[in-house]
Amino acid sequence: MRLRLFAAALVSVLSLAASSAVSAQFLPDDPYSSLYDTETVTRMKKHVDYICSGQWLGRAPGSEGEKAVAEYVADVLKEYGVDLLTPRSGNEFTISREGNDPYVSRNVYGFIQGYDSKLRNEYIVIGARMDNLGTVTTRINGEDVERIYHGANGNASGLAMLLELAGRLSTNSVLLRRSVLLVGFGASSDMFSGSFCFLNKDFKDADRIKYMVNLDMLGLVSRGFYAYTVSNPDMNAFISSVSGELQPITPQLTAAEPYPTDQRSFYAKDIPSVLFTTGKYAEHDTDRDLATLLEWDGMERELEYIYNASVALCNTDREISFHEEVMKSRRGTLASDVVSYFDCDVRPMFQNSPEVSQFLKLWVYPYLKYPQKAVEQGIQGIVHVNFVVDETGQVKDVSVVRSVDPLLDAEAVRIVSASPKWRPGRVRDKKVKTSLTIQVEFRLEKKGQSKGGMKLKKY
């Protein structure tokens, strides 16, 4: 009997492999591997396979592919018992930018009501972006070849995880004190337009959103699993407390933003947020970002952790506040004609590098002078400095947005103000004023056993 069942399973797998309905690029390397998949992995594979289908042509913002994926998200949410708060094709919004044709994108979201009579009027948003880069046409050997940016890891992986979280949370809604909004954001790759519209135009009770969880690029756990909170101490403490319990996997808290995505819109509204991600990868934003990259067992472990964290956010009595001074250190206080570093099409460059670490390595630390009085008093810490690189490349408007001590603050401002020219940032090929924030670290370390107290750490 077992032999007949196993043989039937093999025939089923081989038939699937031969079917023209399944794109070969999404088949596993081992056609028999699906025999050992859990039900969760099977469902996630189904989601990713649909979202990345070549017929959606990379689901660019405003495309029919993005709309099809939005309808799929709506159908799965409904199937999983989540109350749909939008039409099946989502709440539409129009994006219009100077020099470009306007287009229509959409957000899809569902609702799970919490049970607590007081807390159920507060919302936890769990979101993931639906769109990707679409297609690009290149000329190879004299012929036009269309390349599709399938975006399996970016971000079919996060969207598939959102859908499976929806199923678990819906099934266990009796455990949730706060209510949950599960959101698929459209036009995320166009300056996070979907999440901006959701917060500012679409969802009328945005002031009741307590916390936000963002899921983006979660398919490569072997390369790391990270939680980014814009260095919010309260959110960091909360994540650490969840990680302190028995978990199948735990994320590494990171102070460096792994990837700018829709949590940015929530930061702008001062909503405490966390991005879960496995970070950037070589295949990111290329036509090689296929489902064969994804590490399904690792994704299932991540799903378990994020589910536990989401339930804990719904139920916590701990007040997780938003620290405005930390936010300012991340985004600066921007004038209307100043663009954020992360929103530039071409970011400002120091010594031909767009990486801020190069500015620290080549200019700040080699010429930084540790104030003697600070050395004598043992003062150390990280000064957050915001500044603007103008259209000519000059550094201007240098200010401290997170202070340590007046001695260290003054030296950090001095060294940044003395910076040589940068290559200015660009938006749509136009030079712009760009705001960015760096962290200047002053650190002292003890000399071995010798006398003399402290010395400046060498960078």
Side-chain angles (χ1 to χ4, degrees):
M1 182 67 175
R2 288 183 180 177
L3 260 166
R4 285 199 299 271
L5 287 173
F6 186 68
L10 288 181
V11 169
S12 176
V13 170
L14 291 173
S15 298
L16 177 65
S19 171
S20 60
V22 179
S23 174
Q25 61 189 327
F26 296 116
L27 288 174
D29 293 334
D30 177 5
Y32 309 115
S33 63
S34 61
L35 292 172
Y36 309 104
D37 287 345
T38 64
E39 290 182 4
T40 298
V41 167
T42 298
R43 289 192 298 268
M44 286 197 293
K45 284 184 174 181
K46 176 185 175 184
H47 300 326
V48 169
D49 193 33
Y50 186 90
I51 294 164
C52 293
S53 173
Q55 65 183 315
W56 309 138
L57 298 176
R59 59 194 188 280
S63 68
E64 285 300 310
E66 183 193 50
K67 180 181 178 182
V69 170
E71 291 175 344
Y72 178 81
V73 169
D75 290 344
V76 175
L77 289 178
K78 188 174 180 180
E79 177 189 344
Y80 285 177
V82 177
D83 292 329
L84 205 60
L85 298 187
T86 67
R88 180 171 178 259
S89 58
N91 278 351
E92 296 182 346
F93 54 90
T94 300
I95 303 297
S96 181
R97 303 199 188 283
E98 186 178 351
N100 295 292
D101 293 333
Y103 66 86
V104 175
S105 185
R106 65 207 72 244
N107 294 320
V108 177
Y109 50 96
F111 170 75
I112 302 172
Q113 186 167 31
Y115 73 82
D116 190 285
S117 59
K118 294 181 180 179
L119 296 184
R120 68 186 178 194
N121 292 321
E122 297 178 353
Y123 302 111
I124 310 300
V125 171
I126 305 175
R129 60 185 171 99
M130 299 187 296
D131 60 303
N132 198 40
L133 300 180
T135 64
V136 64
T137 301
T138 56
R139 198 160 185 81
I140 300 176
N141 295 329
E143 295 184 4
D144 289 338
V145 177
E146 186 176 51
R147 294 186 174 184
I148 301 174
Y149 290 92
H150 295 278
N153 191 38
N155 181 39
S157 61
L159 196 55
M161 201 165 290
L162 173 75
L163 295 174
E164 288 310 296
L165 275 173
R168 291 195 183 193
L169 292 169
S170 178
T171 299
N172 299 296
S173 60
V174 294
L175 303 177
L176 310 177
R177 297 174 67 193
R178 292 185 176 89
S179 298
V180 179
L181 292 166
L182 298 131
V183 188
F185 295 117
S188 176
S189 58
D190 189 350
M191 299 179 68
F192 328 122
S193 296
S195 51
F196 176 87
C197 288
F198 171 79
L199 286 168
N200 294 280
K201 300 177 181 179
D202 196 1
F203 187 64
K204 303 306 181 185
D205 292 327
D207 59 329
R208 294 184 183 179
I209 297 173
K210 192 75 173 176
Y211 311 118
M212 191 268 182
V213 176
N214 197 22
L215 311 176
D216 207 321
M217 302 190 305
L218 281 160
L220 300 176
V221 68
S222 65
R223 307 184 195 186
F225 176 37
Y226 304 100
Y228 174 70
T229 69
V230 75
S231 298
N232 183 321
D234 284 354
M235 186 62 85
N236 282 351
F238 173 81
I239 295 298
S240 296
S241 69
V242 174
S243 298
E245 301 171 0
L246 184 62
Q247 302 285 359
I249 190 173
T250 56
Q252 176 185 340
L253 283 165
T254 176
E257 188 175 50
Y259 183 69
T261 181
D262 289 292
Q263 76 274 357
R264 289 280 190 86
S265 299
F266 290 80
Y267 297 160
K269 285 286 189 180
D270 296 353
I271 297 171
S273 308
V274 56
L275 165 66
F276 289 112
T277 182
T278 55
K280 279 197 173 183
Y281 50 105
E283 298 83 5
H284 180 244
D285 285 354
T286 73
D287 58 353
R288 304 189 309 278
D289 190 357
L290 303 174
T292 49
L293 292 174
L294 302 186
E295 301 165 3
W296 302 103
D297 290 343
M299 288 174 62
E300 188 171 22
R301 293 195 300 274
E302 290 173 326
L303 175 66
E304 186 70 28
Y305 178 89
I306 296 169
Y307 168 77
N308 292 335
S310 299
V311 171
L313 274 177
C314 286
N315 296 334
T316 185
D317 289 317
R318 176 188 299 187
E319 183 63 28
I320 302 177
S321 62
F322 187 93
H323 295 261
E324 181 59 22
E325 68 276 12
V326 178
M327 182 58 218
K328 286 180 179 178
S329 75
R330 179 65 184 83
R331 73 173 184 249
T333 302
L334 301 184
S336 59
D337 62 340
V338 178
V339 177
S340 167
Y341 170 82
F342 294 97
D343 290 337
C344 290
D345 297 331
V346 178
R347 294 174 178 175
M349 296 186 184
F350 183 82
Q351 299 293 317
N352 296 319
S353 173
E355 299 298 328
V356 175
S357 59
Q358 286 296 96
F359 177 54
L360 293 168
K361 179 181 178 181
L362 299 178
W363 176 256
V364 173
Y365 291 134
Y367 299 103
L368 192 71
K369 296 180 181 178
Y370 211 117
Q372 185 57 36
K373 286 187 178 180
V375 175
E376 293 169 357
Q377 296 174 36
I379 300 170
Q380 57 183 338
I382 299 175
V383 181
H384 293 232
V385 180
N386 182 261
F387 59 97
V388 171
V389 177
D390 71 11
E391 303 96 319
T392 69
Q394 293 280 2
V395 169
K396 295 183 175 180
D397 302 330
V398 183
S399 63
V400 172
V401 291
R402 193 174 186 186
S403 171
V404 173
D405 179 90
L407 291 169
L408 303 188
D409 295 350
E411 177 57 17
V413 169
R414 182 197 70 80
I415 193 63
V416 173
S417 299
S419 168
K421 275 191 171 184
W422 292 51
R423 186 180 298 174
R426 290 176 177 268
V427 173
R428 291 190 288 274
D429 207 33
K430 179 183 177 182
K431 295 178 181 178
V432 294
K433 295 177 183 176
T434 307
S435 172
L436 60 159
T437 300
I438 62 171
Q439 299 178 13
V440 181
E441 182 177 8
F442 293 82
R443 193 193 316 170
L444 297 166
E445 63 179 16
K446 294 180 179 180
K447 293 180 179 179
Q449 300 298 323
S450 62
K451 298 179 180 180
M454 313 287 285
K455 69 176 181 179
L456 174 64
K457 177 175 176 60
K458 300 297 183 182
Y459 292 92

